[in-house]
């Protein structure tokens, strides 16, 4: 069973996939396979980012005391 890759390793692998797809020297079935793999990796990266955002807290200095506040993303 393959060990879980960390975020940076997944990004590196995704970059390699994109570069190989951009070369335009793959057969159609190879391109589709690499695209599918890239989409799975991108989904995992997005999941990692969402989990990290949930863990982030901002420290705010209020009257000389530190106050923890959950990280809020802007929703448009």
């Amino acid at each position: 069973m393959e060990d879980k890759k960390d975020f940076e390793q997944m990004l590196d692998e995704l970059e390699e996939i994109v570069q190989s797809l951009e070369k335009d020297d793959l057969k159609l079935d190879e391109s589709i396979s690499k695209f599918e793999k890239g989409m799975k990796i991108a989904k995992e990266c997005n999941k990692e980012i969402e989990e990290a955002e949930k863990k982030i807290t901002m420290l705010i200095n209020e009257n000389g005391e530190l106050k923890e506040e959950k990280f809020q993303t802007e929703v448009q």
Side-chain angles (χ1 to χ4, degrees), residues 57-71:
T57 58
M58 293 172 44
L59 293 174
I60 299 174
N61 190 349
E62 184 176 290
N63 298 326
E65 295 180 21
L66 294 177
K67 176 183 170 187
E68 284 191 17
E69 188 173 288
K70 295 239 185 248
F71 178 77

Side-chain angles (χ1 to χ4, degrees), residues 3-60:
D3 292 333
K4 184 176 178 180
K5 296 178 182 176
D6 67 21
F7 184 77
E8 289 77 15
Q9 289 173 322
M10 288 189 293
L11 282 182
D12 289 342
E13 187 173 0
L14 187 56
E15 186 174 332
E16 289 174 13
I17 290 170
V18 169
Q19 289 174 355
S20 69
L21 288 171
E22 288 176 341
K23 287 181 185 176
D24 201 28
D25 62 351
L26 299 172
K27 294 181 181 181
L28 180 60
D29 58 335
E30 292 173 318
S31 294
I32 292 170
S33 177
K34 284 190 177 280
F35 179 79
E36 288 174 337
K37 185 175 182 179
M39 291 302 295
K40 288 178 184 177
I41 293 170
K43 184 178 179 180
E44 281 296 313
C45 286
N46 191 47
K47 182 179 173 184
E48 291 272 335
I49 290 170
E50 287 175 357
E51 289 176 11
E53 285 178 343
K54 290 177 185 177
K55 294 177 184 177
I56 294 174
T57 58
M58 293 172 44
L59 293 174
I60 299 174

